[in-house]
Amino acid sequence: MSPTRFISLASGLALSFSAALAGQNASLDLNRQYGAELQADAQARSSSLLDGGATYANGEHILTDGSGDNTLALGGTAQFRYRLGLRSDDPPVGADNGTTMGFDFGAVRAWAHGNVYASNMHYRIQTLFTNDGTFVLEDAYGVYDMENGLSWKFGQFKLPFLREENIDLERQLAVDRSETNYFFTQGYSQGIQFMYAQDQWRLQGGFSDGTLSGNTAYNSAGEADWAFNARFDYMFAGTDWNRFEQFTSWLSAPTDLAGVAGAALIYESFGSTNPSGTEVTNFMFTIDTALQGQGWNAYGAIVGNTEDVDGADSVTNFGLVLQGGMFINNQVELFGRFDAIFLDLPDGSTQDDNLMFITAGANYYLSQESHAARFTADIVFSLNETGFDDGGGNLDTFLAGGTQTGILGDPSSGEVVLRLQASFIY
């Protein structure tokens, strides 16, 4: 979206983190407790419950009528974090010092999904508890699977745009997504979506209220007059689409390379219908690729947007994300990421027009080959100033991640943020 709308140390950390945890001997018991990863396909889970009733399997509590036509799976997640951020002492960041530290939650979620009426009619409802205690609706949609690979989705969900955004927060490599992702994120939308899937490729497209329009009424000023989106993915290596629902690739993965490449776009318009306002059109685009091997993974994406505001010059911003990870044993995964935002700023702006970040850290999986229970530690380095003084003693920033990522903005130098996280899926 537009700027007005968005706002050796790493390796040493990884080695010390690994050494501190490698000596733990509780992994076998925890494997029994958290043994299986969550799965998205309730129909497959219910196939072993043909007599009906209730059970616990694959990390979720499951109810079924036995036929597979009506199922209910309940689950959730909790991510507990500690952040230590170091910034300059210059105003407007703070008069005393630039250190910000403390505990909070990254995500606390609860969800329900399954089938209703028939095995090809799916639903999902997911909610988020924020740090201020607010209860927020995220997903609320239904999916109808037709024959020959065609399906329809309707309700509130994330448009299939940024791959990084569409991978669950619980299945990222780092503690959180990149600053680039949050700057260009599509967020949640309300609308309809179709997908036509074949063995090696799939095409998605839809009509919605536009980006960042979740939990809004149809006449809200935050909704687009109209928005169209499309995404095409081609799996050029491998045969399992489910591998790309996470970045991690386990040591037990097939030795053969798995790879997918995709491209997506969103075109939306604001201000021409009730409530009327300044007319704005926004065109967003991205290309990305993900690779996975036995115990290693790599990902890269280029993203951009061009926004035309009635009576003003158009603005075009770009972003880049490069990321990779690898296991050094069955439970420890090292990772690194570089991401950048290239801003199209007006003449005379004091904000850096190139914002770059480096993230490095490690994951320790208590439950081997599962995201059900893990610890993550990473450090985020900002390579330049991340904010500017607006002249009135206030800090302005184009960063959209903010409190979520720990990069809060510094007008004088780059920031450094240490992040620790315990993540559980239950």
Side-chain angles (χ1 to χ4, degrees):
M1 308 301 291
S2 71
T4 58
R5 193 175 175 187
F6 293 106
I7 302 293
S8 110
L9 178 60
S11 62
L13 169 68
L15 291 174
S16 62
F17 182 68
S18 171
L21 294 172
Q24 294 192 19
N25 296 316
S27 60
L28 293 178
D29 291 336
L30 286 165
N31 285 343
R32 286 191 289 268
Q33 182 179 358
Y34 299 105
E37 186 97 40
L38 295 178
Q39 301 292 329
D41 188 352
Q43 179 182 358
R45 285 194 300 272
S46 65
S47 63
S48 62
L49 304 171
L50 296 179
D51 294 332
T55 189
Y56 181 81
N58 296 322
E60 292 181 317
H61 302 273
I62 304 169
L63 301 174
T64 178
D65 65 356
S67 69
D69 290 340
N70 295 279
T71 65
L72 171 63
L74 301 175
T77 185
Q79 294 181 319
F80 186 57
R81 295 178 176 178
Y82 179 82
R83 261 88 64 87
L84 170 62
L86 302 176
R87 298 174 289 165
S88 70
D89 298 342
D90 295 339
V93 174
D96 296 328
N97 62 69
T99 302
T100 305
M101 65 180 73
F103 293 97
D104 65 1
F105 288 98
V108 178
R109 290 191 173 102
W111 59 69
H113 65 93
N115 307 327
V116 62
Y117 178 70
S119 61
N120 64 338
M121 186 68 188
H122 315 291
Y123 65 88
R124 183 178 183 88
I125 297 175
Q126 179 172 296
T127 58
L128 172 72
F129 297 88
T130 65
N131 278 295
D132 63 3
T134 304
F135 186 69
V136 178
L137 178 66
E138 291 187 324
D139 288 309
Y141 62 79
V143 178
Y144 179 60
D145 290 332
M146 303 172 67
E147 296 180 354
N148 301 320
L150 183 65
S151 63
W152 291 90
K153 179 187 286 189
F154 51 90
Q156 179 166 297
F157 48 86
K158 290 181 179 179
L159 300 177
F161 183 60
L162 294 179
R163 182 181 298 277
E164 184 179 356
E165 181 65 33
N166 284 109
I167 291 179
D168 290 338
L169 193 60
E170 299 85 354
R171 290 170 172 81
Q172 301 287 321
L173 291 184
V175 168
D176 215 305
R177 300 182 178 98
S178 66
E179 290 289 345
T180 300
N181 177 89
Y182 283 113
F183 185 87
F184 292 97
T185 183
Q186 69 270 33
Y188 281 92
S189 302
Q190 298 167 343
I192 56 175
Q193 195 81 196
F194 80 88
M195 180 170 71
Y196 183 68
Q198 295 297 300
D199 290 341
Q200 297 300 127
W201 62 271
R202 57 189 182 189
L203 175 66
Q204 301 177 76
F207 174 65
S208 72
D209 287 333
T211 56
L212 305 174
S213 63
N215 297 316
T216 56
Y218 81 101
N219 62 340
S220 169
E223 294 199 351
D225 304 323
W226 48 262
F228 296 97
N229 70 280
R231 182 175 176 92
F232 178 78
D233 290 288
Y234 176 66
M235 186 164 52
F236 57 84
T239 59
D240 185 5
W241 284 105
N242 290 329
R243 292 189 65 174
F244 302 104
E245 293 181 359
Q246 61 182 11
F247 286 120
T248 297
S249 183
W250 312 114
L251 281 172
S252 64
T255 57
D256 296 339
L257 177 71
V260 63
L265 59 86
I266 297 174
Y267 187 46
E268 55 189 353
S269 177
F270 299 83
S272 297
T273 64
N274 180 45
S276 62
T278 302
E279 294 187 8
V280 179
T281 59
N282 184 46
F283 177 64
M284 304 175 66
F285 50 92
T286 185
I287 58 173
D288 55 61
T289 187
L291 301 173
Q292 293 190 4
Q294 193 170 52
W296 64 269
N297 65 86
Y299 169 73
I302 298 173
V303 60
N305 79 298
T306 298
E307 185 170 88
D308 288 303
V309 180
D310 188 28
D313 295 334
S314 64
V315 175
T316 301
N317 305 300
F318 292 96
L320 172 69
V321 179
L322 299 173
Q323 175 180 275
M326 64 178 297
F327 281 89
I328 59 175
N329 58 44
N330 286 332
Q331 291 178 273
V332 178
E333 178 186 38
L334 306 182
F335 60 83
R337 180 175 67 206
F338 170 80
D339 69 287
I341 306 168
F342 307 104
L343 297 168
D344 183 5
L345 297 177
D347 294 340
S349 173
T350 60
Q351 167 75 50
D352 278 356
D353 55 2
N354 297 331
L355 305 175
M356 292 176 283
F357 308 88
I358 293 176
T359 304
N363 288 306
Y364 181 81
Y365 294 88
L366 280 77
S367 180
Q368 293 185 28
E369 302 201 350
S370 167
H371 293 281
R374 70 170 183 172
F375 292 127
T376 305
D378 64 22
I379 294 181
V380 183
F381 302 88
S382 172
L383 302 183
N384 47 265
E385 295 86 353
T386 52
F388 64 97
D389 189 338
D390 67 359
N394 299 309
L395 176 65
D396 284 351
T397 176
F398 291 131
L399 299 177
T403 302
Q404 183 72 18
T405 65
I407 298 292
L408 301 177
D410 191 333
S412 300
S413 63
E415 300 182 58
V416 179
V417 181
L418 168 66
R419 309 185 297 190
L420 306 175
Q421 176 173 272
S423 179
F424 298 92
I425 300 176
Y426 53 87

